Amino acid sequence: MSTSQRFGSDAVEHAEAVLVEQYPRLVRLAYLTLPNSSGRHARVLLAHKAVQRALPRPGTPAEPARADGGTGDADPHPTLVRIRIRVLRAVLAPAGPAGGAWARIGRLPVPPFVWGLRLWPPAGGIDEAAQTLGDAPAPVRAAFVLHHLDDLTEREVVRLLGSAGAADPAGAVRDALALPVGEGLLQALRRPEFDASVVSARPTDLLRRRRRARVCWAGLATLAVALTALSVHGPPSGPDARPAAGPAASAVLDPGRLQRVPAEAWADTARVDFTAWPARGGRTGDRDLLARALRTWAAPGRTPVTMTPGTTAEPPARPPQLLYAGELDGRTVVLLRDEDRVVRYGETTTGSGVRTLDVTRTDDAGVTTAAALTLSRAPGGASARYLLAPWIATAATRDLLRAGDAPHTLAVAGDGVTAPAAVPAGGGSCASWPVLELTSSTRIVEKHSFVLTDLGALSPVHLTYTPLPDGPAAAPARQPREATGPEARTAWAPLACRLGELRAGAYRAVNVWDFAAARLPDGAGRAVWSCTRASGWAGPGDVTVRMRLEGGTPQDVARARSTAACGRFGQHLLAGFRWRSPAGRWYLLAAGSRQVTGITATGAVRAGATDRTLAAPWTGPDGPVSVTGTLVGGGTVTALDGAGGGRD
């Protein structure tokens, strides 16, 4: 079909067959190219819309296509190239001047029309990939999908983006190749069972929709009457009347409509999280208190509001779940849950004076990450009281800084409120690092204890540990385990004070992964390489690679933010840096995770190793070094950007 030809009926039927066959890949391309700011529901709809509208109509001009712009498979087809171009033209549109308007349109129902449902893509990495792409421009996001997931060559991607109207296709490909994406995430998205076109759905608030419909019809009728009266009598005089709140708003602010969970629900459910928390505290029946908390949430006014990053304080769309209402240390506290958020309202016991509102994320919280919430803090922040989950049988405190420290029993009242517990000091002081060690009830799991640390947020952070790999590279990866055993406490002790660097983030868990060990030159001793991953509620996390000597201070090697590295979808890791031995000599040190079978360094240092670790003399001047690892099966992994001269 030449560039001057148009699609005929037979060509359209063939294009439909190709589109249906490639539908999951095309939806994946559209979804990941669209900006994160549109929200998951809007992106799902817009992605399906872009793919479905890529089917040409009879008589539509045929875009030029080359046989070398195909899928990267053995038999690329020009029809697929043309469909990809049409999809890309649709989803690259937000990158233009109309981007803001596109985002607003994305919130409206668009074909395929969906009312009364919220949609989101399947689990398995696509949202983690979207977060990894972050605020990258749409052409860069598209290049990432086409090259990494659809297996097009760089040259093919440049041609496709150029045909779709991207301003700088070659630059987009370069930027896409520079994105810090773990191989594990890419493997998850390539799995045959992963289908990006499958969506999950749940209803919006059914009663709220019904009330809105009634209010809408009533509003239209009132408007008609008002317009008639206005045309007869003219505009009203006197002071303006304030509009009354609608029925939906009244329902949300009604304490009588708060959701309350039965006390024993947690012991008879497969979902052990905040949804299983009963309403506790001595003032759960105080309607005035609950009404003040709800009104403050709906309209904070001058009330100070604290939110963890990535959280909104917008009012709930339906009546929230009541978790707690009671008095503590001269303050009255109310805890409420709305979907993936928990809100803490506080006031003086008299109901007057300073009020506070704190909001935190709780996405996909579970047995450990929904085990405690901070109720109150002592003046100066030296201690705090926590409300423990109903499935917690016992509680204790430990000093994470001292591996041999024995647990100290923490008293817990019948309503789940703990006695005051010491919290880590701020301001750079780190003489100790108190943590909570909680034990789950045997009614849900046997012999399960875990550790939480207070980083200043409403929800404490879960600490875990992954030990050094054991056995050959082909053995299954070791999974994170609770930081309660001697080996875990030994690994955490020299790193405990570094947790203070995470106070400003919205983290749900922090894992220390010991991924390699080796003896260092010049008699420096045995070093352990670890990756500390602070996982955020939204999925991506921040990682720091460190090397620690026995009895020494850990040295920072590399850092990365908003990445899948060192997590479930980023299990291949390599890091290197410039290190000075006790003898005063400089070396390039590098280490890789269990499936790294060789390391190559180029640049200021040229060296290689047929193992997971490298120690090469650095005899020349400081300068950039590229460190690459070979993986089992022939793949490669590049080093995280490191400190000193050992740079990726």
Side-chain angles (χ1 to χ4, degrees), residues 372-628:
L373 290 170
T374 307
L375 279 179
S376 66
R377 298 186 185 278
S383 65
R385 290 179 183 264
Y386 304 95
L387 178 65
L388 302 184
W391 56 84
I392 298 302
T394 61
T397 61
R398 278 187 185 271
D399 185 357
L400 193 64
L401 200 58
R402 294 167 176 79
D405 183 51
H408 307 279
T409 301
L410 179 63
V412 182
D415 59 359
V417 178
T418 70
V423 300
S429 173
C430 190
S432 65
W433 195 276
V435 295
L436 296 175
E437 186 170 308
L438 307 179
T439 302
S440 301
S441 169
T442 55
R443 296 172 67 180
I444 61 169
V445 62
E446 293 185 2
K447 299 180 181 179
H448 178 233
S449 297
F450 53 96
V451 174
L452 302 179
T453 187
D454 191 331
L455 295 182
L458 176 54
S459 177
V461 177
H462 181 209
L463 302 184
T464 56
Y465 169 68
T466 305
L468 284 165
D470 183 16
R478 305 184 78 169
Q479 300 301 311
R481 57 190 64 182
E482 302 302 345
T484 53
E487 186 180 9
R489 293 200 299 271
T490 299
W492 263 109
L495 301 173
C497 292
R498 302 295 184 92
L499 286 168
E501 301 170 4
L502 306 176
R503 291 184 186 274
Y507 302 109
R508 61 183 297 170
V510 182
N511 179 59
V512 170
W513 171 29
D514 286 345
F515 65 89
R519 302 206 67 83
L520 298 185
D522 296 344
R526 181 175 181 267
V528 175
W529 295 69
S530 66
C531 181
T532 303
R533 175 180 172 84
S535 298
W537 288 104
D542 301 334
V543 304
T544 302
V545 176
R546 297 184 175 98
M547 188 190 75
R548 66 179 188 272
L549 290 165
E550 294 180 1
T553 301
Q555 294 180 258
D556 287 3
V557 175
R559 291 177 181 268
R561 296 183 59 82
S562 297
T563 178
C566 305
R568 177 184 175 190
F569 300 114
Q571 296 185 6
H572 299 318
L573 178 65
L574 180 66
F577 76 126
R578 190 171 187 247
W579 172 78
R580 189 173 187 178
S581 76
R585 287 186 281 266
W586 289 99
Y587 291 85
L588 169 65
L589 301 183
S593 52
R594 66 188 184 90
Q595 290 205 333
V596 173
T597 59
I599 299 175
T600 302
T602 58
V605 176
R606 304 184 68 85
T610 57
D611 197 358
R612 295 193 297 114
T613 59
L614 169 71
W618 195 309
T619 56
D622 190 2
V625 174
S626 177
V627 182
T628 305

